[in-house]
Amino acid sequence: MLNSFLVAKITLVFGGNQTIPRKILLAFIFIGLTSLTADMVYEGARSVGGSYLEYLGAAPIASAIASSGDLIGYGLRFLSGLLASIYASSAIIWGFTILGYVLTTATLPLLTFSRSWEIATVLYLLERVGKGIRTPARDVILAELTKDIGRGKGFGLHEVMDQIGAVLGPAILAVAITLFGFSRSFLILLIPGILSIVFILSAYRLYPSVESVEISAPKISFKDLGRGFWIYTFSMIFLSLGYVHWMIVSYYLRSKSVLSDPEIAVAYLVAMFVDALIAFPIGYLYDKIRYRSLLMAPISSLLALIILLLSPTNHLYAYYSAALWGLTMGCYETIMRASIADIVAPEKRALAYGVFGLLYGISWTVGAFIYSILIWDTLMAILYTSIVQLISIILLMHLLSMK
């Protein structure tokens, strides 16, 4: 009965006149529920990542080291995307997806037992390994499941479900920290972690064969990704160089005594709520105006940084900055991913997601190390961010001129 209710509601969202096979809708729903519960785990833990490292006595550079987990994760996105392209196998696609979720949900509850910032950092890095393994494979599945309903809307609705978990996770952890203190709070994340594994296995049973990875013989060529893909990717590279990592943000807020530890989790909750709020509308907008919708990301990223640097004078600015930070993340999670599916051919998607992820991860990590130094100098931080976001906008405009 619950399945029928969800299918009916999601069919209505996608357009009641469309005929979408029931098993495809159910598989889409279960993948969404997987992301929802997995996000409760890793967004809950990451919401206080920088402040937890500061609590354990870490230096500012430690937050940048933890941020480098995204480099590891994005590097693994490239590797898993490459392997999925080479072997062109549904078993590989689903294997990477399931393994990634298992690894993510098994590591972060162990923060309960960490007694040093080094151990905590390793656990945060391992969580990124799990995300890196699964993401390109899962996005290939999503791109196929949403081909008949509009990828902007499909990825947007998936992001809404994803971000419901991203809101619930920090909220639950903020309450737990208030009641029990830092360490013991992480153990509660086991519950949604177990649910996420149940949901992803259910999706696999419904849709075990991914047709798009098996439609042609494997042929790996980076040149065949196309000029548009590379212009798009370099635009997003410059965006990520100026998009301050939340590990840096949370460390900064605690170090400057702007917010308390539970309040930092609430600020992240605000970011995730905004992400969820705009995900479907911005996905719908993407289906209408395509790449023009991406222009808001570099602007919101720049404003988020400027307002963050004003937060020591007024703690409310921290929440305004978090909202803009969430807007930028919503653009990334929805329309940046949907764009790749439209720019490259179906048989190239796994490789394209992997290549994009690797380069984005490298640049975001480089940006995190730069911000770990510059964020203490307001003028230099704003100047740096303005330059890289301007370059991102110029490249996006060039991409628009090609279409």
Side-chain angles (χ1 to χ4, degrees), residues 11 101 319 382 398:
T11 301
Y101 278 113
Y319 296 105
I382 292 174
H398 182 52

Side-chain angles (χ1 to χ4, degrees), residues 163 246 266-276 319 322-323 325-327:
Q163 292 311 113
W246 189 262
V266 172
Y268 193 71
L269 183 155
V270 169
M272 296 298 99
F273 178 77
V274 171
D275 187 342
Y319 296 105
W325 193 95
L327 174 60

Side-chain angles (χ1 to χ4, degrees), residues 4-85:
S4 298
F5 175 78
L6 290 173
V7 168
K9 291 299 182 183
I10 290 181
T11 301
L12 183 62
V13 169
F14 285 147
N17 294 327
Q18 290 179 276
T19 302
I20 306 170
R22 180 183 175 86
K23 74 169 187 176
I24 289 180
L25 277 176
L26 281 174
F28 176 84
I29 291 167
F30 279 126
I31 290 178
L33 291 172
T34 302
S35 293
L36 188 157
T37 47
D39 261 47
M40 290 176 68
V41 178
Y42 67 81
E43 299 292 18
R46 284 166 61 84
S47 69
V48 294
S51 56
Y52 186 48
L53 294 177
E54 206 273 348
Y55 164 79
L56 292 173
I61 195 67
S63 60
I65 294 172
S67 301
S68 70
D70 283 291
L71 173 58
I72 297 171
Y74 281 110
L76 285 169
R77 291 187 192 196
F78 169 72
L79 181 60
S80 64
L82 183 63
L83 289 173
S85 295

Side-chain angles (χ1 to χ4, degrees), residues 147-282:
K147 64 183 178 182
D148 295 327
I149 56 182
R151 290 199 174 91
K153 288 184 286 185
F155 275 91
L157 184 56
H158 176 265
E159 178 63 7
V160 170
M161 298 176 75
D162 186 274
Q163 292 311 113
I164 289 172
V167 169
L168 291 175
I172 291 170
L173 202 66
V175 172
I177 290 171
T178 302
L179 295 176
F180 308 114
F182 249 133
S183 296
R184 286 185 294 171
S185 303
F186 293 108
L187 203 56
I188 198 171
L189 301 176
L190 267 176
I191 298 171
I194 292 170
L195 288 174
S196 71
I197 304 306
V198 173
F199 289 136
I200 195 60
L201 291 175
S202 299
Y204 168 69
R205 289 189 62 187
L206 282 166
Y207 198 81
S209 179
V210 185
E211 296 174 4
S212 62
V213 300
E214 298 175 347
I215 59 177
S216 62
K219 180 184 177 182
I220 305 303
S221 172
F222 297 104
K223 184 172 65 174
D224 290 346
L225 292 173
R227 185 164 176 259
F229 169 80
W230 291 110
I231 293 173
Y232 169 78
T233 297
F234 277 104
S235 173
M236 297 302 103
I237 283 173
F238 280 99
L239 167 68
S240 66
L241 282 169
Y243 182 37
V244 60
H245 199 287
W246 189 262
M247 284 285 184
I248 306 295
V249 173
S250 61
Y251 189 101
Y252 177 85
L253 292 174
R254 193 178 202 273
S255 179
K256 290 285 189 177
S257 300
V258 178
L259 299 178
S260 67
D261 295 322
E263 287 172 338
I264 291 171
V266 172
Y268 193 71
L269 183 155
V270 169
M272 296 298 99
F273 178 77
V274 171
D275 187 342
L277 195 65
I278 63 99
F280 187 76
I282 202 172

Side-chain angles (χ1 to χ4, degrees), residues 84-127:
S85 295
I86 291 173
Y87 291 104
S89 164
S90 296
I92 292 290
I93 290 289
W94 276 109
F96 283 155
T97 302
I98 294 168
L99 176 62
Y101 278 113
V102 169
L103 187 56
T104 289
T105 56
T107 52
L108 291 178
L110 296 177
L111 286 167
T112 293
F113 308 106
S114 64
R115 294 295 178 266
S116 69
W117 70 265
E118 292 90 349
I119 293 175
T121 299
V122 169
L123 291 173
Y124 277 115
L125 294 177
L126 284 174
E127 181 273 320

Side-chain angles (χ1 to χ4, degrees), residues 273-318:
F273 178 77
V274 171
D275 187 342
L277 195 65
I278 63 99
F280 187 76
I282 202 172
Y284 184 83
L285 183 66
Y286 170 81
D287 285 339
K288 296 295 183 183
I289 65 173
R290 289 297 190 233
Y291 311 111
R292 290 182 180 84
S293 59
L294 286 164
L295 289 169
M296 70 179 72
I299 296 171
S300 61
S301 178
L302 173 60
L303 292 175
L305 185 279
I306 293 172
I307 295 173
L308 171 68
L309 295 175
L310 295 174
S311 64
T313 65
N314 186 336
H315 76 280
L316 289 177
Y317 289 160

